Amino acid sequence: DSIIIAVKNGQVDIGMSSFSVTEERKNAVDFTIPYFISGQVLIARADSKFQSAADLKGKVVASGIGTTGEEAAMKMEGVTYKGLDDYTTAVMMLENGAVDGVVMDIAIADGYVEKAGFVRVGDPLTYEETAIIVKKGNPSLVKALNAAIEKVKASGQLDTLRKKWGV
């Protein structure tokens, strides 16, 4: 949210931090063409035995405040939601059993699954397009960024970067 505010107020020209394109955000900022398709997934401890999001009914689920992960978590039926400032805290709470699951972006979740031994629970909760944000009313900057995104895609660099960073 703080990055969106900085873009809206003209403190920075662009924001690029896995911004999912949502109708609410479209009211606040302009978006480039999407450069990445992702979504929100639920992770849990490997010993949890959860097979789907429905299995967490009556449990505690965390996510980052102001994220589309928060939106997805709050739509989960019958869970107690805990909003946190960052995912590092959420993952520590998951490790310690203070929460039963964490909702986060697929790429981030897969890193925790691979490196920290968590498991993905069920199917993705959402699918989302990710784009760069720009202050409303700056079509020339959006056009220039769109051209750059297309160039990076066409050159194969975007695929190379995704492979390098595991996304």
Side-chain angles (χ1 to χ4, degrees):
D1 285 343
S2 61
I3 297 171
I4 294 172
I5 292 167
V7 169
K8 280 176 61 176
N9 292 338
Q11 294 168 291
V12 297
D13 294 314
I14 66 169
M16 189 171 177
S17 181
S18 296
F19 284 106
S20 300
V21 180
T22 67
E23 290 307 313
E24 180 181 352
R25 288 176 176 169
K26 283 182 183 178
N27 291 327
V29 293
D30 288 335
F31 283 91
T32 63
I33 58 173
Y35 62 87
F36 188 68
I37 306 296
S38 188
Q40 299 299 312
V41 294
L42 177 64
I43 64 168
R45 290 180 308 278
D47 63 355
S48 69
K49 309 279 192 265
F50 300 129
Q51 298 295 310
S52 72
D55 293 341
L56 279 97
K57 198 175 225 177
K59 304 292 184 186
V60 180
V61 174
S63 192
I65 295 171
T67 66
T68 53
E70 178 178 56
E71 292 173 19
M74 291 177 79
K75 290 179 183 175
M76 292 176 62
E77 191 174 322
V79 302
T80 299
Y81 173 70
K82 184 148 188 78
L84 300 167
D85 288 331
D86 60 73
Y87 283 109
T88 303
T89 303
V91 170
M92 286 173 39
M93 291 177 75
L94 182 59
E95 286 175 338
N96 297 327
V99 299
D100 301 290
V102 176
V103 177
M104 60 177 57
D105 187 82
I106 291 169
I108 298 167
D110 286 348
Y112 282 114
V113 166
E114 181 181 322
K115 294 176 183 156
F118 295 111
V119 294
R120 259 215 238 173
V121 178
D123 295 326
L125 302 171
T126 66
Y127 290 96
E128 304 166 2
E129 294 180 325
T130 301
I132 300 169
I133 61 171
V134 175
K135 184 177 180 177
K136 281 206 161 289
N138 195 345
S140 61
L141 181 55
V142 172
K143 184 177 179 180
L145 289 167
N146 285 343
I149 291 167
E150 291 292 358
K151 184 176 180 180
V152 171
K153 282 181 179 179
S155 73
Q157 269 186 300
L158 188 58
D159 291 333
T160 301
L161 289 170
R162 284 184 182 153
K163 191 176 205 176
K164 177 181 178 179
W165 297 106
V167 293

